[in-house]
């Protein structure tokens, strides 16, 4: 059970690490220092997002490799067949992207409203992300949606559809968040 909870909450560890990097940057007055450089405020926001996206995509690539191994080599393992939680498949990867997109939208976007306060946006993100995880873990228990918890490459069309929806949602949330953050950060008098 602990293994399954750890697996389904893995995106939170990446987000917690990024939260720590924001905290360290705040304590070192990194944003203020960077704003004093001859760099546009919008570029500061883009750079912070670029850093976060590179970390998120690095995590996502590693997770994707583990999921593909689980979908191919370990698809018939008894321990996975008797798993009460969501299986590692493309639907899971779609939900991971949704959680990472929420982080970008809620936390990073919330941070750049003040460029200093970040506790409230992080708590808001955690609540929203746990709701998404709860929905993801509940959906496949509904009989008509049980295909979301497919093993291996069963129901591949559905899995690819949810995965593509996750990619689109991540891109859309991140793009909206970047634009809002640039506008908000331009208004801040550091």
């Amino acid at each position: 059970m602990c293994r399954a909870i750890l697996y389904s909450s893995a995106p939170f560890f990446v987000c917690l690490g990024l939260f720590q990097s924001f905290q360290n940057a705040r304590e070192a007055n990194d944003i203020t220092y960077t704003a004093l450089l001859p760099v546009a405020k919008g570029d500061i926001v883009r750079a912070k997002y670029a850093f976060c996206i590179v970390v998120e995509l690095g995590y996502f690539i590693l997770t994707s490799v583990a999921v593909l191994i689980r979908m191919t080599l370990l698809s018939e393992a008894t321990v996975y067949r008797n798993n009460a939680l969501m299986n590692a498949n493309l639907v899971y990867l779609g939900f991971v992207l949704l959680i990472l997109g929420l982080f970008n939208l809620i936390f990073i976007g919330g941070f750049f409203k003040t460029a200093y306060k970040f506790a409230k946006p992080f708590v808001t993100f955690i609540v929203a992300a746990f709701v998404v995880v709860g929905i993801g873990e509940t959906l496949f228990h509904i009989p008509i949606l049980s295909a979301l918890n497919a093993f291996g490459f069963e129901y591949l069309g559905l899995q690819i559809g949810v995965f593509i929806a996750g990619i689109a949602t991540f891109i859309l949330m991140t793009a909206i968040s970047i634009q809002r953050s640039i506008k908000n950060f331009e208004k801040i008098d550091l």
Side-chain angles (χ1 to χ4, degrees), residues 9 13 18 22-24 39 55 85 97 116 124 128 134 140 144 167 169 178:
S9 64
F13 294 121
L18 290 172
F22 274 82
Q23 185 175 11
N24 291 339
V39 176
V55 171
L85 298 175
L97 286 170
Y116 188 76
T124 305
F140 69 88
I144 197 168
I167 292 170
T169 304
I178 290 171

Side-chain angles (χ1 to χ4, degrees), residues 79-91:
V79 68
Y80 296 123
R81 287 283 180 179
N82 298 328
N83 184 12
L85 298 175
M86 181 183 285
N87 285 320
N89 59 20
L90 297 177
V91 173

Side-chain angles (χ1 to χ4, degrees), residues 12 15 19 22 49 52 56 97-115 117-132 169-170 172-181 184:
F12 295 111
C15 296
F19 171 80
F22 274 82
Y49 271 95
C52 292
E56 290 167 350
L97 286 170
L98 177 59
I99 290 170
L100 294 176
L102 282 173
F103 179 80
N104 294 344
L105 182 68
I106 297 171
F107 174 71
I108 302 175
F111 172 79
F112 279 111
K113 287 182 181 176
T114 63
K117 297 179 181 178
F118 53 76
K120 184 179 176 185
F122 192 69
V123 170
T124 305
F125 158 71
I126 291 295
V127 170
F130 271 107
V131 168
V132 169
T169 304
F170 174 79
L172 182 65
M173 286 181 172
T174 303
I176 290 170
S177 183
I178 290 171
Q179 294 306 314
R180 284 185 187 166
S181 295
N184 290 336

Side-chain angles (χ1 to χ4, degrees), residues 63-100:
T63 300
S64 298
V65 169
V67 166
L68 289 176
I69 290 171
R70 160 64 187 84
M71 288 175 69
T72 55
L73 301 175
L74 302 174
S75 64
E76 297 300 321
T78 306
V79 68
Y80 296 123
R81 287 283 180 179
N82 298 328
N83 184 12
L85 298 175
M86 181 183 285
N87 285 320
N89 59 20
L90 297 177
V91 173
Y92 169 76
L93 292 177
F95 274 96
V96 166
L97 286 170
L98 177 59
I99 290 170
L100 294 176

Side-chain angles (χ1 to χ4, degrees), residues 34-35 37-47 185-186:
T34 307
L37 295 172
V39 176
K41 280 186 161 182
D43 291 339
I44 295 169
V45 173
R46 286 184 197 93
F185 193 59
E186 291 287 343

